[in-house]
Structure formats: C-alpha cells, structure tokens
Amino acid sequence: MPAAPQNLHAGRTVMADGLSELPESSTGYATPMSASSAGMFATTLRSRRARQKSALPPLRWLPRFMVGRGGMDKVIGAQVDMSQLWLSVPRRTLRKSRRKSLGQQQREFDSDLLGNACSQAVTWPDGMRLMVSLEDDQAPDGDFNGRLNAVLQTSGFPVSRLDLVFQESGLAQDDKETCYTLSALRDQGCQIFLGGFGSAPSSLSLLRERAMGGLLDGVQFDVSMLAPSGMSWQQSGNAPLLDESAMLFYRAALEAVKALGLKVRGIGVDSPDLLAFVQKAGCVEASGTVLATPETTAQITERFEETAGRPRRRRMARTAEGL
C-alpha cells in the first residue's frame, strides 16, 4: 500500500539526496548520517520492501454475461475477485502486526485492488461495468466512500459503472453511517451486491431489510455449492454431478430473493449442468469458465471493443502481463 503523501515525499528525499551526495564539512570529509536520518532511511527501506512483497500481480478478469433464455452472448462487463482469480488472498496472507490491525490490512488490500482494477478498466467502452469483490468484512465503514473517491479521482473511472460486492457482516452493520454510505453509492449508479450468499449463514431478514430500504441491488450466488459433498454422499456408485436436494433448496431460496425485487447473479459456472441451473433459476447474469476463462487486461479490452463494434487493433508491443 502506498505510503501517505508526506511519508512518500520524505522517502524520496532520503533516497535521492541523502544517498547520492552527502554534504561535506569544512574538513573535506562527508558528514556522518545522523541518527534521525538513519532511522528514516531504515523505515523507508522497510516500507519499500513491504510494498514490493505485497504488490498485487497482474489482474485477470472473468467476463460478465447477461443471462437470457436464448443464450449468453451479451457481455456487460467483467469482475475481479482476489479469492476466485488465484491472486493473493488477504485472509491467508495477512499476518499479525503490531503496527497495523487485521482490519486495516484488509482495507489496504481492498484499496490496492480497487485502484488497480479501476485504472485498468478506465479504457473499457461505455456500458461495460466493473465488479470488485471486497475482502474487508467491516466494509462499508464510515470512511469507505472517502477512500473510494480517492481511487476514482486518481483513476478517472466513473462510479456509475462500478459494482461492489460486500461481505454479509459488513452489510449487517445496523448503523446510520452504513446506510448513508450505501445510499450515496447507489445514488451515483454504483450497484451493491451481497457476497457469500449460501456459503455462510445467511439472514433472509437482512436481505429483506436492505432490499425494502432500497440499499441493495442483488445477491451473488456461487453455484459450485450445488456439487454433492463427499461426506454426505453415502449411496453406492458414483456421486451425481449436482446434488438434487441442494438444487431444490437453493432454487427456492433464490425465488425468495427475487420476490424482494433483487437480482441474482451466478458465479462459478464451470460446467454445462451449472449453466442450465442458472438459466432455469432465473439468474440475470453469470460468469464462469464454461462461459469464458479468465483473461488478461489486453484480452478483455479486445473483447469489449469487438462487442462495441470497434475494429480490432493489432498490438505490436509485448508486455510482461501474463508471462
């Protein structure tokens, strides 16, 4: 995570001035580095190494498709999710720190992910939406919109084309600040989704309150949960591709979600059987490897240009992305 502006400026001064040319005394010898300058240099060096180790790798995207009865030929954008796209998962990589709490580290990972995603998606054609799944289980906190505004101003990405997926615990915060934050985002055209639906203990009352209050657009359902569990499957023979009881349960649950006027988007659509489920269950959107595998920024940009009717541009320069 980039340091604060004043710290970053001080770090440059030390690296550029303090190491290249030290002031000389009247005797002609270089003046020894003071204890404060040495401490500042050590701190800056540690910060630079920490940023290098925690830097996000090149993003990979999953295209988002509009689900229809006739097929999945309409692309509406792309999503990036650290846990789904084989990036560094904060909950596994974050370590205990005396200087930063776990929540602060999660917020910094989310800010990095948002910044990189918005910077790369700013060249997409109009109408293509960016979805980012956040890992901070306390977001949206009172300062979330301030951090997001800084990211949007730096990248130039419009908030009206941004969709955010929050954890259930974050949306469950029953305070005015959370409601004001969500209201401000949705008033600007940002769509809000509840992540982890079905994979963690979910509260239908939470969905009802947020939906009836006009603070939620839909839920994101991981259809991979329809696969039968090896522990629960005890009949002889091979386990079926999809668990019939799970299909019945989640189809009914999704009907309850739609009854609240919420959208349902299916993720993890990695087989034809799962694709058939999301179509029959009435999902309005889906993404997964059966539809399209993760793509680089260059590949997703070409896909969007073709969808928008623009001629494909041939890229001659090679980049380090995807190597």
Side-chain angles (χ1 to χ4, degrees):
M1 181 67 184
Q6 62 272 19
N7 294 336
L8 185 59
H9 176 73
R12 288 200 196 98
T13 303
V14 172
M15 294 300 295
D17 301 333
L19 294 184
S20 58
E21 294 183 5
L22 290 175
E24 295 184 354
S25 63
S26 58
T27 60
Y29 293 97
T31 303
M33 182 180 292
S34 64
S36 59
S37 298
M40 184 181 299
F41 168 70
T43 302
T44 303
L45 184 59
R46 285 195 298 268
S47 299
R48 293 187 62 182
R49 288 177 177 175
R51 288 197 298 271
Q52 291 173 354
K53 291 181 179 179
S54 61
L56 292 174
L59 299 182
R60 297 181 68 83
W61 308 86
L62 272 178
R64 299 168 59 184
F65 293 86
M66 181 68 71
V67 178
R69 295 181 180 274
M72 315 284 269
D73 54 346
K74 184 177 181 181
V75 181
I76 63 174
Q79 70 176 106
V80 59
D81 186 323
M82 300 187 78
S83 61
Q84 289 182 2
L85 301 185
W86 311 292
L87 302 183
S88 302
V89 182
R91 290 175 181 173
R92 295 179 181 176
T93 59
L94 292 180
R95 298 179 179 178
K96 293 183 179 179
S97 172
R98 295 181 179 179
R99 298 181 179 180
K100 298 179 181 180
S101 64
L102 179 62
Q104 182 179 357
Q105 294 179 75
Q106 286 181 325
R107 286 190 291 272
E108 291 180 354
F109 266 93
D110 283 346
S111 296
D112 282 347
L113 181 62
L114 275 169
N116 286 336
C118 290
S119 297
Q120 296 183 33
V122 72
T123 60
W124 293 356
D126 294 340
M128 295 300 163
R129 302 189 65 85
L130 164 66
M131 172 169 280
V132 181
S133 296
L134 303 177
E135 292 289 333
D136 183 10
D137 53 9
Q138 296 303 310
D141 55 279
D143 298 328
F144 178 81
N145 282 2
R147 299 194 301 272
L148 178 60
N149 283 334
V151 169
L152 296 176
Q153 290 176 3
T154 301
S155 63
F157 190 81
V159 67
S160 59
R161 290 167 49 197
L162 177 65
D163 299 335
L164 296 175
V165 181
F166 291 104
Q167 302 296 320
E168 180 178 354
S169 56
L171 289 175
Q173 299 176 95
D174 192 12
D175 55 64
K176 293 182 179 180
E177 287 187 355
T178 300
C179 294
Y180 291 154
T181 299
L182 295 173
S183 296
L185 289 172
R186 297 194 72 243
D187 288 344
Q188 297 297 320
C190 177
Q191 295 188 3
I192 307 299
F193 286 82
L194 170 67
F197 179 75
S199 60
S202 300
S203 172
L204 292 180
S205 62
L206 170 63
L207 289 176
R208 179 181 179 277
E209 291 174 1
R210 292 294 184 258
M212 299 300 291
L215 303 177
L216 196 63
D217 290 286
V219 300
Q220 183 170 272
F221 176 61
D222 189 348
V223 296
S224 64
M225 296 182 58
L226 300 176
S229 170
M231 297 180 62
S232 61
W233 184 256
Q234 298 180 358
Q235 298 183 15
S236 59
N238 297 327
L241 296 177
L242 300 181
D243 189 336
E244 292 292 337
S245 60
M247 293 175 62
L248 293 175
F249 173 80
Y250 285 116
R251 186 178 289 118
L254 296 179
E255 288 295 329
V257 171
K258 292 188 293 182
L260 296 173
L262 299 176
K263 304 175 184 178
V264 179
R265 65 182 312 269
I267 64 173
V269 185
D270 298 333
S271 71
D273 291 326
L274 294 176
L275 177 58
F277 174 85
V278 300
Q279 290 175 324
K280 293 179 181 178
C283 298
V284 300
E285 181 185 336
S287 60
T289 56
V290 73
L291 301 171
T293 57
E295 301 176 357
T296 64
T297 300
Q299 290 171 332
I300 197 70
T301 301
E302 287 186 0
R303 177 188 288 272
F304 291 160
E305 289 175 348
E306 292 176 354
T307 302
R310 299 180 183 177
R312 171 178 283 187
R313 295 177 297 176
R314 186 176 181 182
R315 291 175 173 81
M316 302 299 295
R318 296 184 59 186
T319 64
E321 185 180 81
L323 295 181

